[in-house]
Amino acid sequence: MALQFEHTDRFLKETRLYEPDDSTVSRANITAYMRSKGFSTWDELYRWSVANPEEFWSEMARELEWMKPWKTVRRWEPPYVQWFVGAQCNIVHNALDRHMRTPVRNKVAFYWEGEDGARRTLSYADLYQEVNRAASALSKLGITKGDRVIIYLPRIPEQIISMLAVARLGAVHSVVYSAFSAPALRDRINDAQAKAVIACDGYYYQGKLVERKSVVDEALRDNDTVEHVIVVRRTGTDIPWQAGRDVDWAELVASGADRHPVEPVDSEHPLFILYTSGTTGKPKGVVHTHGGYMVGVYTTARFVFDVQPDDIFWCTADPGWVTGHSYIVYGPLINGVTSVFYEGAPTYPDPGRFWSIVQRYGVTIFYTAPTAIRGLMRHGDQWPAQYDLSSLRLLGSVGEPINPEAWVWYREKIGRGQVPIMDTWWQTETGSILITPTPITPLKPGSATRPFLGIEADVVDRSGQPVDANRGGYLVIKQPWPSMMRTIFNDPKRYEVYWNTIPGMYFAGDAAHKDEDGYFWIQGRVDDVISVSGYRLGSMEIESALVGHPAVAEAAVIGKPHPVKGESIKAFVILRKGYDAGEALVSELKQFIRQNIGPIAVPDDIQVVDSLPKTRSGKIMRRLLKAQELGLPIGDVSTLEE
Ligand code: WT7
């Protein structure tokens, strides 16, 4: 990754500080832990944890169950790391089996609510039963340890059940976001060399039926690794069926045994592959493993979200993204907490939907994205005002920087002016939260505050030297942590880039600055990755889809600041001879992107141009297009060809 980012210093200074109240501090899990270690301040605890990361993380790991203990806590052979080396475990044992011997067994694991109002409650025992049956049935279909299974499902209980069933077998799940189109699905199935796909007939979103089965069929044309497509009937509509290959989920699971033993796997055995955008067209298959990931999500859910036995936790993300993996599925379940799981859109049938769900289930901890907060804020204060939100005691934010205005609205209108907000910075690659407050941290609106326990973060220049307070630079992590990705599937070179761009440190791709109190302020990504509604999209992936259209000769895609989505997409295209730059073509191109990637990647604006700025080596200078578009200084143009 080329570091072309120009330092941006801080212009706007946020001076508001929100101290935690005494009752929050006294009941927090982190306070109890701090006392048990004999420390009286966060700073002391933090300093101890980064000076003794192996001690800290192994202490956390010992709270979970392992089938065989580790011999070595950490083996660090840069840039490759192993944690809890020699141990055997299975994350599903800690998420489910372990609870069957405790009162958690009879607690609700998930209150599921469909967009259409359908409801389903699953206790831990129910979920355990479903996962056992599904695992047994999948194993009869030939799925075993190490096999890759694509899960292409919307937010319905079967999405979670199938993730846990696959992991129970020691097989590897790769969840693909349900709104992705056939080509995006196909690329992921092919890259993972998947043996099976778990999908559905369709689902409801914003009141509309979204058909899925024919998308799967199209993605599988010419595929020779997938043996079975397992179809969940969510809508009951008529769908194409390929006898022999296609299997009905309900029938399959009914054929499963009541119990199917959990497969003990090596701590470093892969748990999942999750595709994320990088700077080239091809998505990166980020690989996470059982042992370290399990410890990372358990610890952060416990200390950041402060989950306690009587909490009702709601993370509004989709398990198609990492937030859902870590804080809908694994983190809450390992902690034995009750969660809400909602299928639909935040504004369906009206902008009060989220708040009606908070009220109905008495949600105590609510975790969402800045884009959702800004979107709901726009609809006005009357929506949250109609509901009783007094159950809320902790709020969270993730996906992009939260602007102070939205932060303050979130605290005032959702959090009654008193609920602390955990602005959590992390990535698909980091597996769990790395920079974040805990309930005892004094908060500054717009800052993710400070590194979590055991995490050594800094802001540095190109050579890895720390920059002064309030100076812009690159956000780096200086020590490996348990839940970090282990590699990029089938592409270790792309993994190594994370550790050799700034030698010896993990470079996340984000720009940031640190203030005089050591608080981190994340500024966004330095590379050609666009963050739309908190979802990372590669410029190159959208560009390569655009040039797949017969009318397009060349394309360049940039992100522009957007009041609700964080960033919106603007595309510049050069047309082939013989095509007219009219409205009709522009809407055809938008439709084309919708089909090839999905609705999230559709540009708000497509502009037809005669030329694009390029370097002598032929690389499109998106930075220039962006500067021009936003009226910013053009900066260094020494590499510009014309
Ligand atoms: C990128 C990672 C981690 C789950 C969601 C996205 C941005 C994430 C924050 C935050 C500022 C944030 C970063 C990061 N980001 N959280 N609290 N403040 N920026 O996962 O798709 O892997 O994207 O999201 O730019 O690098 P992802």
Side-chain angles (χ1 to χ4, degrees):
M1 187 184 315
L3 296 182
Q4 295 182 326
F5 168 74
E6 316 286 338
H7 283 184
T8 55
D9 295 333
R10 267 182 90 187
F11 295 117
L12 290 170
K13 205 165 153 104
E14 175 60 59
T15 52
R16 285 171 285 192
L17 189 74
Y18 295 75
E19 294 285 350
D21 64 55
D22 294 345
S23 68
T24 301
V25 172
S26 61
R27 75 169 284 187
N29 289 334
I30 190 71
T31 305
Y33 179 63
M34 198 164 80
R35 298 227 173 97
S36 77
K37 302 296 295 174
F39 295 117
S40 52
T41 64
W42 165 269
D43 284 3
E44 290 169 22
L45 174 63
Y46 172 76
R47 275 199 299 273
W48 166 79
S49 74
V50 287
N52 305 278
E54 297 192 9
E55 199 179 324
F56 169 65
W57 290 116
S58 58
E59 195 179 310
M60 294 297 113
R62 274 195 298 274
E63 293 179 3
L64 302 175
E65 292 181 357
W66 303 74
M67 289 128 183
K68 203 175 125 194
W70 54 89
K71 293 205 177 72
T72 308
V73 178
R74 176 179 93 172
R75 185 175 294 149
W76 176 222
E77 288 158 357
Y80 293 97
V81 76
Q82 292 178 288
W83 283 87
F84 313 112
V85 188
Q88 286 212 317
C89 62
N90 187 307
I91 194 168
V92 180
H93 174 84
N94 280 291
L96 293 176
D97 301 51
R98 184 169 64 109
H99 302 312
M100 293 305 114
R101 303 186 307 260
T102 74
V104 174
R105 179 191 166 85
N106 299 316
K107 263 181 87 166
V108 172
F110 290 104
Y111 289 111
W112 176 76
E113 185 161 311
E115 195 187 68
D116 57 1
R119 284 184 207 155
R120 198 172 156 193
T121 301
L122 284 159
S123 69
Y124 272 84
D126 296 337
L127 186 61
Y128 178 69
Q129 172 72 53
E130 297 278 340
V131 169
N132 271 272
R133 280 232 173 84
S136 160
L138 288 172
S139 115
K140 284 188 195 160
L141 270 192
I143 304 297
T144 82
K145 192 167 168 175
D147 286 343
R148 272 84 56 206
V149 178
I150 297 282
I151 299 173
Y152 183 57
L153 288 173
R155 288 190 294 268
I156 55 177
E158 289 79 2
Q159 187 188 30
I160 295 174
I161 294 165
S162 55
M163 288 168 75
L164 295 165
V166 167
R168 187 171 189 84
L169 299 173
V172 179
H173 57 70
S174 185
V175 184
V176 176
Y177 183 49
S178 57
F180 273 154
S181 62
L185 175 61
R186 182 196 55 215
D187 288 350
R188 287 156 177 81
I189 294 171
N190 291 348
D191 190 78
Q193 297 151 285
K195 194 164 175 183
V197 177
I198 304 178
C200 64
D201 47 5
Y203 61 94
Y204 299 100
Y205 197 75
Q206 270 162 344
K208 287 199 275 293
L209 185 121
V210 184
E211 208 277 321
R212 286 294 91 172
K213 178 59 170 42
S214 57
V215 175
V216 178
D217 291 343
E218 195 188 327
L220 287 177
R221 231 188 282 142
D222 306 324
N223 174 285
D224 54 15
T225 62
V226 172
E227 294 169 8
H228 292 288
V229 177
I230 301 143
V231 185
V232 178
R233 310 273 188 167
R234 165 74 180 111
T235 59
T237 42
D238 266 349
I239 47 170
W241 201 259
Q242 192 173 309
R245 186 196 70 179
D246 296 351
V247 182
D248 182 277
W249 164 273
E251 280 172 27
L252 179 74
V253 170
S255 78
D258 274 354
R259 292 288 171 267
H260 188 89
V262 71
E263 179 77 26
V265 295
D266 192 276
S267 172
E268 285 293 316
H269 183 73
L271 167 64
F272 65 85
I273 301 171
L274 188 59
Y275 287 88
T276 191
S277 292
T279 50
T280 65
K282 195 169 161 255
K284 300 190 268 199
V286 171
V287 176
H288 283 286
T289 55
H290 276 254
Y293 176 81
M294 162 172 106
V295 173
V297 297
Y298 163 69
T299 308
T300 47
R302 174 170 161 214
F303 291 137
V304 177
F305 297 122
D306 194 42
V307 292
Q308 298 186 17
D310 53 353
D311 275 313
I312 309 288
F313 181 72
W314 183 19
C315 166
T316 68
D318 189 303
W321 311 99
V322 74
T323 311
H325 280 63
S326 301
Y327 301 109
I328 294 177
V329 183
Y330 293 111
L333 290 178
I334 296 172
N335 279 282
V337 76
T338 297
S339 286
V340 168
F341 188 41
Y342 168 57
E343 178 186 38
T347 50
Y348 188 85
D350 63 48
R353 185 63 184 265
F354 267 12
W355 318 128
S356 84
I357 295 175
V358 168
Q359 173 179 295
R360 177 169 314 115
Y361 300 99
V363 172
T364 56
I365 306 170
F366 178 73
Y367 188 32
T368 196
T371 180
I373 299 165
R374 288 191 300 264
L376 292 166
M377 191 173 151
R378 280 200 149 187
H379 289 284
D381 301 351
Q382 72 274 22
W383 293 104
Q386 287 170 39
Y387 297 93
D388 176 7
L389 305 181
S390 62
S391 56
L392 291 169
R393 72 171 186 93
L394 204 80
L395 298 172
S397 170
V398 64
E400 55 180 316
I402 176 164
N403 44 309
E405 191 199 355
W407 194 102
V408 171
W409 184 85
Y410 196 25
R411 179 166 170 116
E412 294 300 323
K413 305 298 174 198
I414 309 305
R416 311 183 299 281
Q418 63 187 64
V419 178
I421 300 173
M422 304 297 112
D423 176 359
T424 61
W425 179 89
W426 58 297
Q427 307 177 296
T428 307
E429 295 88 336
T430 71
S432 61
I433 294 166
L434 296 195
I435 301 180
T436 181
T438 70
I440 64 171
T441 311
L443 304 171
K444 302 186 186 187
S447 169
T449 76
R450 293 187 294 187
F452 185 67
L453 300 177
I455 303 298
E456 217 185 319
D458 208 347
V459 178
V460 302
D461 65 17
R462 272 158 232 241
S463 64
Q465 288 305 309
V467 300
D468 292 341
N470 296 318
R471 297 277 301 179
Y474 305 108
L475 176 60
V476 294
I477 312 295
K478 294 184 160 173
Q479 288 268 346
W481 62 99
S483 69
M484 63 184 245
M485 70 166 157
R486 296 302 193 263
T487 190
I488 299 293
F489 190 66
N490 281 337
D491 205 348
K493 284 273 169 293
R494 281 180 101 186
Y495 167 76
E496 289 167 11
V497 170
Y498 286 88
W499 288 91
N500 62 25
T501 305
I502 296 176
M505 302 174 192
Y506 171 84
F507 173 50
D510 282 358
H513 60 256
K514 216 164 69 168
D515 68 17
E516 51 287 340
D517 299 325
Y519 277 49
F520 286 71
W521 300 78
I522 318 293
Q523 292 173 319
R525 304 200 49 90
V526 301
D527 53 21
D528 295 317
V529 173
I530 306 173
S531 169
V532 182
S533 302
Y535 298 135
R536 252 163 86 182
L537 299 163
S539 301
M540 294 273 278
E541 194 175 8
I542 305 168
E543 288 161 4
S544 51
L546 276 169
V547 296
H549 188 281
V552 179
E554 277 194 86
V557 165
I558 61 165
K560 288 173 68 172
H562 184 278
V564 177
K565 295 192 279 192
E567 281 190 290
S568 67
I569 300 169
K570 167 144 192 187
F572 299 85
V573 293
I574 303 179
L575 297 183
R576 284 182 200 283
K577 288 209 171 58
Y579 286 93
D580 278 338
E583 269 304 307
L585 181 64
V586 166
S587 53
E588 189 180 319
L589 291 177
K590 289 186 180 176
Q591 188 55 28
F592 188 74
I593 294 296
R594 182 181 299 272
Q595 280 157 5
N596 278 278
I597 306 179
I600 192 105
V602 174
D604 281 9
D605 188 10
I606 299 182
Q607 185 180 337
V608 176
V609 293
D610 294 329
S611 69
L612 289 167
K614 286 192 183 162
T615 63
R616 288 186 191 110
S617 60
K619 274 209 208 125
I620 295 170
M621 295 181 77
R622 298 183 192 85
R623 180 170 64 84
L624 281 189
L625 287 169
K626 193 163 174 167
Q628 205 171 24
E629 186 71 23
L630 303 177
L632 298 172
I634 298 287
D636 177 21
V637 289
S638 55
T639 55
L640 186 65
E641 168 75 25
E642 51 187 283

